[in-house]
Amino acid sequence: DLAVIGNGMLGALLDQTGRFVWCCLEGFDSEPIFNCLLNNNSDKTGFFDVVLENFDYAEQAYFGLSMVLVTTLHTNQGDSVEIRDFAPRFYHFDRIFRPFQLIRTIRRVRGDPRVRVRLRPTFEYNSTDGYQTRGSQHVRYCGPRNTWRATTNMSIRHILEESLFLVPSEPVYMIFGADESFTNSLRNVAIDFEAKTLNYWKQWCSCLCLPVEFQEVLIRGAMTVVLLQSEDSGGFISALTMSVPLGRTGRPTGDSRVCRLLDECLALPVLRGMGLFDPIRKFLQFAKEMCFVQEVPQHTYSANGTVESKARERRPFLAGFCGLGDVFSGGPLLEDGVPGLRTGENAANSWSRAAIYGLFVVTLAHAFFDARLSQDICTSKLFEKLESFALRACESFSEQSMDNKGLSTVRQPAGAGFFDDDLAFFTWEGSSGLDSRGVSGSDIAADQLPQSSRSVHSLTSVLCWAAADRLHRIAGHFLEDADRAEFWRSRAAEMHEVISVRAWNPERSAFTTHWGGKYVGPSMLRLVELGFIAPDDPRFRGTVRAFEVDACRHAVHIGGRVDGATHGSDSPSRSARHHEEQDNGDAVLEAPSVCFMTHTLLWYCEALRCIGTRARSRRLLEAILRCSTHRGILSEAVDLRSGESWGNAPSLAALLALLRVAPRLSRSWREV
C-alpha cells in the first residue's frame, strides 16, 4: 500500500507513515536515491522519514483533488504531527514548471510532538552512502556522479545527528533536490509552490469528464497516469519500479521503467473519454516521432524515448522486495536479444513486427479524425508511413495464412508475453524472450508445450486486420480517395474472414489465443475494444466463458507458505506446465496464494460488462479497488486470497484498464 507523488519528471513512492521508500530523482529510469522498497524495507539506508516519539498510528490521504500527500502521525498520548509531501507542478509563464524537487512540510497539529528527521539517500543502487557537507541552512549529499541538496528552516544539527526535537508552532519546511542554492525565502517558496501546485491540480480536475460513480477512483487513477507520462518524450512509463515479484514466492520482475506500446495504444479512446486531451496529444507526437526514428518501430523504448537499452545489471547491495530475490536494473528492450530481429526480416521476424505495425496504425489513426491535431500531426507523409506499415502487416499476415507448414518455428511477437498471454514476459526469465542459453522461450521444450503456443498468435493477426481497417477509414476521411479506401476495405474484409475461421474453435465456441488452438488467453478479451467483433456477438460471449475455464492457466503466481512449506512455482514456464496437469481450477482452489495481473482482471471486468453481466463485473471491480489503500492507484498484480498487491507500481496498464471499465459501469448522468 504505497502512495505516489511526482510531476512528470520524477516519481516517488511513500508508505503509510510518510516514509519515502522509492524515488528516482534524476529521472524515471535513473538510480533510486531512496530504495529501501527493494532492500527488504531496510531501516538503515535509502529512505527519508519523520519518526514520531511514542508513535501509535498514522492516517494518510491526498489533500482534496491534488497530488499533495498528507500523512498525520499520532502518539498514544494525544500528540499529532502532519507531514505534507509533493513534487511541484504548475504553470509558470507559458510552460509547466516541474523541477527535480521534493517538498516536505512538517506541521504540529496537537500537543507537543517530538520527531526525528532521517534523511538517508544512497547512490549507485545502494552501493555507497556518499558523503555530506553542510552549510548554514542546507546539507549536501554527494555521490560519485550526483549531488543533492536538502534546504530547511530547522536546525541543520537535527538532520545531521537525527536528534529528537519538539515540532515548533512555525511549520518546518524541507526542500530536497538539485544542488542549487535558494535566493528567496525558503518559507515563501514552499508555501508558494504548494499553493500553485494545489491550484494546478484543481484546474486540471475541472477539465475531466467524470461519470456519476467512481469519481474519486477515476480522478486518482487519471492523475497517476498523467504523472507516468514522461515530459521528456511523451511516452508513458509502465511503472516506477523494478524487480518487485508478482507473488510471495515469485521471481523478480523486469525493469518496468520503460515506455511500452501495448495496451497504451488501445487506450486513446479511454483517455479521450476522460477529457485528457493534452496527454493524448503528447503521446501521439511521441508515436509519430518513433515512426520516423526507425524504419521498423519497436514495442518498447527507454523512458526518455530512445531506442537504446541499458545493460541488465544485478544490484547486489539491494536485498530485494521483502528480501525476495535479486534486484536487476535495465535489461534488453523487447526486440533485443532475438537474433536477426534488428537486422533481418525473415518470415518469423516480420511476423514479430506485424503487431507493432498494427499498434502504430491504430494509435495514430485518432489524429486524422481530430481537427485540433490535424496541423501538428496529420500530414501526407505520416499517412504514407502508416500505409507502408499496414502493407507490411498485410504481407506478413498473408505469409502466415497461406503456409502452415512452418508454424512450429514461428514465435509470438518479440518479447513473448504479448498482451500478457505468456507469463514469462513479466519476469526476468522472459524479459528478453531468451533463456540463459539464448533460446526463445516459446521454442524451449516444444514437445512439452501445447500446440497453440507454436502457432499463429490470434491477436497479432487481429492487429494486422486493424491496420487495414483503420487505413480504410483514414483514406476515405483524410485523403477522400474512394479507390484507396476501397482497396483497404477489401483487404480488411479478407483478413477478417480468415481470422474468423482460423482463430475460431467450434468445439469450445470461442476464439483461441492461437490459430488452431484450444486455450483462450487474456489477449482475446481485447477483441471488442479493437472493433473486431461487436460486444453483443455470441462469439464473444463464448470466448469470455472459455476464458473463465482457462483462467487458472494465466495466474501469474500460484503458491505461498502454509506451516512453513512452500507451495506452487516461482517459474512461469513451470507454472504453466503445472496448470496443464490440473483439472480446471484445482490448483487455484487449493493454493494459499493466487495472483493475477491486475489489468487482466480489469479487462475481464470489461468483458463481463460487454456480455451483459454488469453485476458480476461491478463486484469484481469493487473487490480489486478494495485491495489498494489509495483507491485508484494499482500495482501489476493482486493476490485474490489475501488482497495483497504485488508487482511493480503503479501499473500503467492496470490504471488504463481501470479508466476503461469504471466509467462504463457507472450510471449515466441522465439517470441522476
Side-chain angles (χ1 to χ4, degrees):
D1 290 326
L2 300 173
V4 181
I5 64 172
N7 59 10
M9 298 298 291
L10 62 92
L13 299 177
L14 295 85
D15 68 13
Q16 292 181 305
T17 65
R19 184 192 208 196
F20 280 89
V21 297
W22 183 264
C23 179
C24 300
L25 196 56
E26 193 180 7
F28 289 112
D29 60 349
S30 63
E31 60 170 319
I33 58 171
F34 302 132
N35 48 48
C36 67
L37 177 71
L38 294 184
N39 197 26
N40 201 19
N41 200 28
S42 170
D43 198 42
K44 303 296 183 182
T45 59
F47 61 86
F48 178 17
D49 67 1
V50 176
V51 180
L52 176 63
E53 187 180 40
N54 299 317
F55 171 74
D56 187 22
Y57 67 97
E59 298 175 301
Q60 191 176 75
Y62 287 95
F63 185 83
L65 302 179
S66 76
M67 291 302 287
V68 176
L69 184 68
V70 180
T71 306
T72 305
L73 307 179
H74 302 273
T75 71
N76 51 17
Q77 299 172 357
D79 303 315
S80 301
V81 63
E82 178 189 277
I83 309 167
R84 290 198 179 199
D85 295 291
F86 69 97
R89 181 183 173 99
F90 53 85
Y91 282 104
H92 182 66
F93 298 120
D94 59 347
R95 60 187 177 85
I96 296 180
F97 180 66
R98 43 187 187 277
F100 294 100
Q101 287 180 344
L102 301 171
I103 298 182
R104 164 163 279 184
T105 302
I106 305 172
R107 182 179 288 107
R108 185 178 69 191
V109 176
R110 185 172 55 251
D112 293 307
R114 299 181 74 217
V115 300
R116 187 193 315 273
V117 175
R118 302 189 298 177
L119 179 52
R120 302 179 184 177
T122 66
F123 300 89
E124 302 293 330
Y125 290 86
N126 203 45
S127 64
T128 177
D129 296 336
Y131 64 93
Q132 303 171 6
T133 64
R134 63 161 295 175
S136 59
Q137 291 300 134
H138 72 265
V139 179
R140 298 172 70 242
Y141 296 86
C142 308
R145 295 186 301 108
N146 297 315
T147 298
W148 305 103
R149 179 187 294 234
T151 307
T152 181
N153 63 339
M154 70 176 179
S155 170
I156 292 299
R157 181 177 61 85
H158 294 323
I159 297 179
L160 295 175
E161 299 177 6
E162 297 184 353
S163 56
L164 281 168
F165 65 93
L166 283 170
V167 180
S169 58
E170 175 72 13
V172 173
Y173 300 103
M174 299 184 68
I175 298 182
F176 183 76
D179 185 25
E180 300 172 352
S181 60
F182 273 83
T183 57
N184 297 319
S185 163
L186 177 69
R187 175 182 180 276
N188 292 342
V189 168
I191 293 175
D192 183 53
F193 280 16
E194 180 179 340
K196 288 180 176 178
T197 299
L198 288 171
N199 185 63
Y200 170 85
W201 288 114
K202 180 180 179 181
Q203 295 298 321
W204 184 88
C205 286
S206 68
C207 298
L208 289 179
C209 298
L210 297 171
V212 177
E213 302 172 280
F214 304 110
Q215 291 188 10
E216 180 182 353
V217 168
L218 291 170
I219 289 173
R220 192 61 52 206
M223 285 180 172
T224 308
V225 167
V226 169
L227 294 185
L228 288 174
Q229 186 169 36
S230 170
E231 294 291 345
D232 285 336
S233 67
F236 289 103
I237 308 301
S238 295
L240 294 178
T241 61
M242 59 187 185
S243 295
V244 181
L246 298 174
R248 186 164 296 279
T249 59
R251 293 191 177 189
T253 52
D255 192 337
S256 293
R257 302 174 299 167
V258 294
C259 298
R260 291 185 185 134
L261 298 178
L262 297 175
D263 273 326
E264 294 80 350
C265 293
L266 307 184
L268 294 192
V270 175
L271 299 178
R272 188 179 295 276
M274 291 290 297
L276 297 174
F277 177 76
D278 192 54
I280 291 175
R281 178 183 57 80
K282 292 177 182 177
F283 183 69
L284 288 173
Q285 289 175 336
F286 166 73
K288 180 179 179 180
E289 179 72 23
M290 296 305 104
C291 282
F292 292 96
V293 167
Q294 297 171 287
E295 180 63 24
V296 179
Q298 299 183 182
H299 292 97
T300 307
Y301 296 88
S302 68
N304 57 10
T306 61
V307 299
E308 294 81 14
S309 60
K310 295 184 178 181
R312 175 189 177 187
E313 295 184 58
R314 180 175 176 270
R315 301 301 180 177
F317 295 95
L318 294 173
F321 181 78
C322 296
L324 301 173
D326 295 328
V327 174
F328 296 89
S329 67
L333 303 179
L334 292 188
E335 287 75 12
D336 293 331
V338 180
L341 194 54
R342 289 185 179 275
T343 59
E345 281 291 335
N346 56 36
N349 293 341
S350 64
W351 183 240
S352 295
R353 295 297 193 185
I356 194 61
Y357 291 143
L359 287 169
F360 266 89
V361 175
V362 168
T363 299
L364 287 163
H366 287 264
F368 290 89
F369 294 88
D370 194 324
R372 296 166 294 181
L373 299 170
S374 58
Q375 293 183 345
D376 293 338
I377 297 178
C378 301
T379 62
S380 298
K381 190 174 180 181
L382 177 61
F383 177 84
E384 292 172 1
K385 176 67 72 171
L386 296 183
E387 192 167 46
S388 70
F389 287 173
L391 284 171
R392 295 178 194 176
C394 291
E395 291 171 2
S396 181
F397 180 92
S398 297
E399 292 173 359
Q400 300 303 316
S401 60
M402 290 175 61
D403 183 9
N404 288 342
K405 295 181 180 179
L407 286 182
S408 60
T409 61
V410 175
R411 300 184 182 95
Q412 292 189 47
F418 191 67
F419 282 99
D420 57 4
D421 280 332
D422 185 349
L423 307 185
F425 168 70
F426 300 102
T427 66
W428 275 116
E429 178 178 277
S431 61
S432 67
L434 305 177
D435 72 349
S436 59
R437 298 168 293 164
V439 181
S440 169
S442 56
D443 294 335
I444 299 173
D447 59 318
Q448 300 180 32
L449 295 176
Q451 177 64 33
S452 60
S453 69
R454 307 195 301 275
S455 185
V456 173
H457 190 246
S458 296
L459 189 67
T460 303
S461 65
V462 171
L463 286 169
C464 293
W465 162 84
D469 177 69
R470 290 350 182 238
L471 259 295
H472 151 61
R473 304 179 195 181
I474 298 172
H477 175 78
F478 179 70
L479 297 182
E480 298 182 352
D481 186 332
D483 292 338
R484 190 173 288 186
E486 174 59 25
F487 168 79
W488 285 111
R489 187 206 64 78
S490 62
R491 291 296 297 268
E494 293 170 3
M495 296 163 74
H496 193 284
E497 183 177 357
V498 172
I499 297 169
S500 297
V501 173
R502 298 285 186 88
W504 178 255
N505 185 320
E507 295 180 0
R508 300 204 64 188
S509 299
F511 287 103
T512 54
T513 305
H514 299 85
W515 288 9
K518 61 179 180 179
Y519 298 114
V520 179
S523 64
M524 293 295 93
L525 301 178
R526 295 162 171 84
L527 294 179
V528 168
E529 196 72 15
L530 280 165
F532 184 77
I533 54 177
D536 58 354
D537 192 317
R539 293 177 297 175
F540 187 63
R541 178 182 293 272
T543 301
V544 175
R545 297 308 184 206
F547 171 77
E548 293 172 344
V549 174
D550 296 342
C552 66
R553 294 174 49 82
H554 301 284
V556 293
H557 176 261
I558 298 179
R561 291 183 178 274
V562 179
D563 298 329
T566 301
H567 297 265
S569 172
D570 62 356
S571 167
S573 58
R574 281 184 290 160
S575 180
R577 291 195 293 272
H578 176 68
H579 296 159
E580 287 275 2
E581 298 168 0
Q582 300 294 320
D583 291 329
N584 295 333
D586 283 354
V588 173
L589 294 175
E590 297 172 1
S593 173
V594 180
C595 299
F596 281 87
M597 296 302 291
T598 309
H599 66 276
T600 295
L601 295 174
L602 290 168
W603 273 105
Y604 175 53
C605 281
E606 170 61 9
L608 289 175
R609 185 200 65 83
C610 287
I611 64 175
T613 54
R614 293 177 63 91
R616 288 182 60 200
S617 176
R618 190 181 182 101
R619 285 197 300 271
L620 178 57
L621 173 62
E622 291 173 347
I624 294 171
L625 294 176
R626 285 195 296 270
C627 295
S628 175
T629 300
H630 298 285
R631 290 161 63 89
I633 300 178
L634 304 171
S635 59
E636 283 183 324
V638 60
D639 190 330
L640 297 184
R641 294 281 193 222
S642 64
E644 293 177 322
S645 294
W646 291 92
N648 294 309
S651 169
L652 176 68
L655 292 170
L656 293 175
L658 172 65
L659 298 186
R660 175 179 291 103
V661 66
R664 298 175 184 179
L665 283 174
S666 171
R667 288 179 295 145
S668 167
W669 282 105
R670 295 189 299 272
E671 301 176 51
V672 175

